[in-house]
Amino acid sequence: MRSEIVKKGIDRVAHRALLKSLGVLDEDLDKPFIGIANAYSTIVPGHMTLDKITNAVKEGICSAGGVPFEFGIIGICDGIAMGHRGMFFSLPSREVVADSIECMVEAHGFDGLVVVASCDKIIPGMLMAMLRLNIPAIAVTGGPMLSERVKGEKVSIKDAFEAAGLYKSGKINESELRLYEDFCAPYCGSCQGLYTANTMQILTETLGLSLPYCSTSPCASSRKLRIAKLSGKRVVELVKSNIKPLDFVNERSFENAVTMDMLIGGSTNTVLHLPAIAREAGVKLKIEKFDEISRNTPHIVLLDPASKDTVVDLDESGGVPMIVRKMKKHFSNEMTVSGKKLYEIAESAVLRGRDIIMAEKPYRKEGGIAILKGNLASSAVVKASAIREDMLKFEGTAKVFDGEENALKAILNNEISEGDIVVIRYMGAKGAPGMPEMLLPTAAIAGMGLQRVALITDGRFSGATRGPCIGHVVPEAIEGGTIGLLKNGDLISIDVPARRLDVKLSEDELKDRREKWKPPKKTLSGYLARYSKLVSGAEDGAVLL
């Protein structure tokens, strides 16, 4: 066992003394040592019950003959960090999560690893660490939040973000605004819709790194605790059998994950996270692969923000196993951490509620995410599943902002009109840095009732974003990309079916603007200064090089 490096031999007397100070018994020294990376905190709603879930993991580990050791991992709540300086730290925190788990596992010689988290960057960072370390490991994701109702309709955190625009446009009063504040995030768990957190939980299960139904079982459910306990037992079995993640996670596993992403219309942030996770497995997942799979994969599940259905409704429809069962021909039958292959798990899928998996009548013939290219971007990402049909092709005039704050003010002050395309630049991985999410501007556009307004940025979007919102534009503005050359009034063309994103300017005009362009100066310090120097482009997953 790996842990013998810290507990066996005459020269490890002091090590054993320190372990015994933790309550480790002599008989425990012959058992597998299992590290538990727990993102529990009292600032993140998706993480506030992870202490209970982790306790169930510990029970499972002990019952299977292992010794659990829990350690903490940071986690940023994107919703609370949204719209201010805090959002610059969100994506960069993914690398901190991965690196800190690596440090803890290697320093303490754990035989196995369980990662426990619910939210956006934390799950990807944990999966990166699992594959990088390649020791017996399993993920336990915390599960989605339940929903309440306002005015008779099910609401989610998306509605709270959009409520500000509704209030500013006079569509709701102050007491109604308070209802959204009080009831849009009423329980523990990752925010209800198919945003980044829930998308990544579903893709974790699809990759085979968590047990069946782990991703869609609600945070507050007893079933979640049972899955956590079984996961604790399973990791000990993995150690005893020496089964490691890279024994079953391969290129086809990642293609399965991308396929699932397209079927369900998941968050565009997966185009950042899946390549970063794949890189740790030695798999090159190119951005073109997302579009290739999207072209050949129908969109069969419509969840919030594209509908009022939530991830809990998907769970009642049979969850990930039912999607695989219905769309079997689109998936490769890969092994999972459970010891069963995807098809075998799918055969036991059970429908418990409404069937919202529209395999026979897809919402669209193509998948939920599209990769656009043109003279405005060598690549850009859009959540096509959240765009109305009449906006898939759109031409508008640019309203250009060098940052999110001024754009938000302009939207809320009625300075944006139908037919405009809001451009928010210098928001990329290097330029911001950290690719902050633009949920406040997109939610304000929706809340103000603007139907024919698009948004383009070299930053990124929350999975709660809906409408023609195009992000991940590369090259980003700070690197001299075309987005940095745009001016108010420029005519921009968006054609999602044709996968085009163009500004209607001649090559001579673009060349002239490029020669006159100078990058803005920004003073950075601390972690963001280091991150900005080391981070790759969005097309490569914004990883540290």
Side-chain angles (χ1 to χ4, degrees), residues 494-542:
I494 300 168
D495 190 337
V496 176
R499 303 299 199 261
R500 296 292 303 181
L501 179 62
D502 296 285
V503 57
K504 295 200 170 180
L505 296 173
S506 68
E507 285 301 314
D508 288 342
E509 174 65 19
L510 288 172
K511 181 180 178 182
D512 181 61
R513 291 189 188 186
R514 189 166 281 111
E515 289 173 352
K516 295 176 181 177
W517 173 82
K518 291 182 180 179
K521 293 183 179 179
K522 180 177 281 191
T523 302
L524 297 172
S525 61
Y527 178 49
L528 291 184
R530 298 195 302 275
Y531 181 87
S532 180
K533 290 178 181 178
L534 298 172
V535 70
S536 74
E539 72 277 20
D540 293 318

Side-chain angles (χ1 to χ4, degrees), residues 251-473:
E251 185 174 2
R252 294 181 300 279
S253 305
F254 284 98
E255 291 177 355
N256 281 343
V258 175
T259 297
M260 180 63 73
D261 200 12
M262 298 308 158
L263 288 166
I264 64 177
S267 167
T268 53
N269 283 315
T270 59
V271 183
L272 288 172
H273 297 319
L274 283 177
I277 297 164
R279 182 171 178 259
E280 301 291 352
V283 173
K284 179 68 173 177
L285 185 60
K286 294 183 178 181
I287 195 168
E288 288 79 11
K289 179 60 72 173
F290 287 82
D291 206 61
E292 175 190 326
I293 292 176
S294 182
R295 290 284 197 184
N296 297 293
T297 307
H299 176 212
I300 65 168
V301 177
L302 203 63
L303 298 179
D304 182 278
S307 79
K308 287 296 182 181
D309 285 329
T310 66
V311 176
V312 173
D313 295 301
L314 176 60
D315 185 63
E316 293 176 358
S317 293
V320 169
M322 186 64 81
I323 294 174
V324 175
R325 180 174 168 180
K326 288 190 173 190
M327 306 301 291
K328 190 174 179 179
K329 67 179 182 180
H330 290 272
F331 290 96
S332 174
N333 190 23
E334 300 307 307
M335 181 59 72
T336 74
V337 74
S338 69
K340 297 179 180 180
K341 290 189 173 184
L342 275 181
Y343 290 0
E344 183 182 355
I345 294 169
E347 284 306 310
S348 61
V350 176
L351 174 67
R352 297 184 293 109
R354 288 185 303 118
D355 187 358
I356 65 169
I357 302 171
M358 307 302 289
E360 301 300 323
K361 295 181 179 180
Y363 293 100
R364 287 185 179 157
K365 293 180 180 179
E366 295 185 355
I369 291 175
I371 308 300
L372 311 184
K373 297 187 177 186
N375 71 349
L376 185 44
S378 60
S379 69
V381 182
V382 64
K383 188 172 182 176
S385 60
I387 305 176
R388 297 195 325 265
E389 289 287 340
D390 65 330
M391 286 294 288
L392 290 171
K393 292 183 179 182
F394 181 63
E395 207 169 85
T397 53
K399 291 283 183 73
V400 183
F401 302 91
D402 291 347
E404 179 187 11
E405 186 177 351
N406 290 334
L408 183 60
K409 286 180 181 178
I411 295 165
L412 293 176
N413 289 335
N414 292 302
E415 296 171 22
I416 304 300
S417 304
E418 300 285 8
D420 285 341
I421 295 181
V422 178
V423 177
I424 306 179
R425 62 191 180 189
Y426 299 106
M427 293 286 101
K430 292 180 180 292
M435 291 186 76
E437 292 181 346
M438 302 286 113
L439 180 56
L440 287 181
T442 59
I445 288 171
M448 295 293 283
L450 294 167
Q451 296 291 313
R452 298 190 62 77
V453 171
L455 194 152
I456 298 173
T457 181
D458 50 4
R460 59 196 177 89
F461 295 110
S462 163
T465 295
R466 57 192 175 110
C469 299
I470 299 167
H472 306 207
V473 169

